[in-house]
Amino acid sequence: MLKVKTPKCGRVKRELEKRAPKLVETGKKTLILQGTKTSNVLNTVLSEIYHLKRDNAIRYTRKNDSIRPFESGGETSLEFFSMKTDCSIFVYGSTSKKRPDNLVIGRTYDHHIYDLIEVGVENFKRMNSFTYDKKLAPQAGSKPFIVFSGEAFESVDELKHLKEVLLELLRGEVVDNLNLAGLGRVYVCTAISSNRVFLTHCAMRLKKSGTIVPRIELVEIGPSMDFVVRRHRLPNESLKKEAMKTAKDKLHKKIKNVSKDALQGKLGKIYVPDQKIGEMALPNKAKGVKRERREAKMKNSNDERSSKKQKEDS
């Protein structure tokens, strides 16, 4: 039997607890790698992807000749780096005569390859090539809008898969509440054809519209590029079913005397102890008591007078 090692150092124990499964997962980190041969365009693409995701990204600039994601046995090093850095999304860049400026974007499950999609980069424009007001530059940590334009994202399987992967790559950490002041940029993905997608990064400029809702203009701030889909690999049905499992929420502690109704909503029972009003001592200066005493004395005196008259008459 295999020996199970338990961490002895507190730092190692805390690190393992961070990587353990949680009911509410934290944001996914992105691993950026490069192959043996890369072009200047591809190096710039990888550096600008890292710049856009620098809060939740790790980049390795050393060349890796043993990584071949689509080949059997060529994904061992990639899975090792994923487990080492605790990254669940990766971007791998390489170039060759057959596939120039090639990007492989994929996801991992339990530090094993989940799915892959391979795209070629064309018509790339870097951030420095765009001129705009620097006040519109997005702040670090801001949440982006993501727009997918085109019917091909719903009808073509390759673009459906690309949409899922790009959404995981660009959206960052999933949150419940948003501050509208922090939404200042948008990624626009346009399906030009069945295998080509135009991706651009824009800033939002708010202008007066005469109403409460401002008019929004998009200012292109870069980068922008064309993705040409080359190969893709979907996950197995068994692996997909296992990855889609969700843990049940913790059982809430039952609250006594509280129930829920479909019509009236939340109902509660309140138990009031016996007040024992008959045993309570009334204050001496009560006006009502004095009046009752006077009325009782007057009544008694009237009764005595009437009884005396009856005796005298008899």
Side-chain angles (χ1 to χ4, degrees):
M1 295 178 66
L2 296 176
K3 184 179 179 181
V4 179
K5 294 184 179 180
T6 57
K8 298 180 180 179
C9 179
R11 180 178 60 84
V12 177
K13 187 177 180 181
R14 289 191 297 270
E15 188 66 25
L16 291 176
E17 288 177 354
K18 289 180 183 178
R19 300 189 181 191
K22 306 176 183 65
L23 286 175
V24 180
E25 293 289 345
T26 55
K28 297 179 179 180
K29 293 193 296 184
T30 304
L31 177 63
I32 301 174
L33 300 161
Q34 63 188 48
T36 306
K37 293 182 180 180
T38 53
S39 62
N40 293 330
V41 173
L42 199 58
N43 288 333
T44 308
V45 170
L46 294 176
S47 64
E48 298 213 345
I49 292 175
Y50 175 71
H51 177 73
L52 293 173
K53 292 184 63 65
R54 58 184 177 273
D55 295 334
N56 295 311
I58 297 173
R59 187 186 177 191
Y60 287 163
T61 56
R62 184 177 294 180
K63 297 180 179 179
N64 299 279
D65 55 350
S66 60
I67 297 178
R68 292 176 178 84
F70 282 93
E71 298 179 9
S72 60
E75 52 193 21
T76 307
S77 299
L78 188 60
E79 292 175 352
F80 169 75
F81 287 129
S82 173
M83 181 166 45
K84 181 181 177 181
T85 57
D86 193 23
C87 293
S88 56
I89 307 173
F90 65 88
V91 180
Y92 174 73
S94 63
T95 187
S96 63
K97 186 177 180 180
K98 186 178 180 181
R99 295 185 178 90
D101 298 332
N102 196 56
L103 276 182
V104 179
I105 308 172
R107 296 177 287 182
T108 61
Y109 171 70
D110 196 16
H111 304 300
H112 295 285
I113 299 298
Y114 179 73
D115 61 349
L116 298 167
I117 187 163
E118 184 182 66
V119 295
V121 179
E122 296 181 1
N123 302 326
F124 173 71
K125 294 181 181 179
R126 59 187 306 170
M127 294 183 184
N128 296 337
S129 62
F130 294 91
T131 56
Y132 57 93
D133 188 2
K134 298 304 178 183
K135 294 180 180 179
L136 297 175
Q139 299 178 356
S142 61
K143 294 288 291 182
F145 286 106
I146 304 175
V147 179
F148 292 95
S149 177
E151 296 180 357
F153 283 116
E154 302 297 332
S155 58
V156 182
D157 293 337
E158 289 83 356
L159 295 190
K160 280 184 181 179
H161 190 195
L162 181 62
K163 178 182 176 181
E164 292 181 6
V165 175
L166 288 178
L167 191 61
E168 291 279 354
L169 177 65
L170 301 175
R171 69 179 177 180
E173 187 175 355
V174 180
V175 296
D176 296 330
N177 298 321
L178 284 175
N179 186 1
L180 295 179
L183 297 172
R185 58 196 180 105
V186 57
Y187 291 103
V188 181
C189 304
T190 306
I192 301 173
S193 64
S194 60
N195 67 335
R196 182 180 291 268
V197 174
F198 173 66
L199 171 66
T200 185
H201 184 214
C202 301
M204 293 191 300
R205 177 184 292 171
L206 303 180
K207 288 193 171 184
K208 295 181 180 179
S209 63
T211 60
I212 300 176
V213 180
R215 183 167 59 89
I216 298 176
E217 289 186 357
L218 297 182
V219 180
E220 198 170 4
I221 60 176
S224 69
M225 66 196 86
D226 288 347
F227 284 153
V228 181
V229 180
R230 291 173 177 167
R231 291 184 291 179
H232 77 116
R233 189 175 78 187
L234 295 171
N236 298 327
E237 290 298 328
S238 59
L239 181 62
K240 186 176 181 180
K241 186 176 180 180
E242 184 181 355
M244 291 296 179
K245 287 182 180 179
T246 55
K248 294 182 180 180
D249 296 336
K250 293 182 179 179
L251 297 174
H252 297 285
K253 187 177 179 181
K254 186 177 180 181
I255 304 175
K256 294 182 179 180
N257 303 325
V258 176
S259 60
K260 291 184 178 179
D261 187 76
L263 297 176
Q264 297 180 357
K266 193 174 182 180
L267 301 175
K269 294 181 181 179
I270 300 175
Y271 292 91
V272 181
D274 188 8
Q275 300 295 316
K276 298 181 180 179
I277 299 176
E279 299 179 1
M280 293 177 63
L282 298 175
N284 296 328
K285 296 182 180 180
K287 296 181 180 179
V289 176
K290 290 183 179 180
R291 184 170 60 251
E292 290 177 356
R293 289 176 181 175
R294 288 196 299 269
E295 291 177 354
K297 288 180 179 180
M298 292 174 63
K299 185 177 180 180
N300 293 333
S301 62
N302 293 332
D303 292 341
E304 290 178 357
R305 290 176 184 174
S306 60
S307 59
K308 287 180 180 179
K309 289 181 177 179
Q310 289 176 1
K311 289 179 182 181
E312 290 175 358
D313 295 335
S314 59

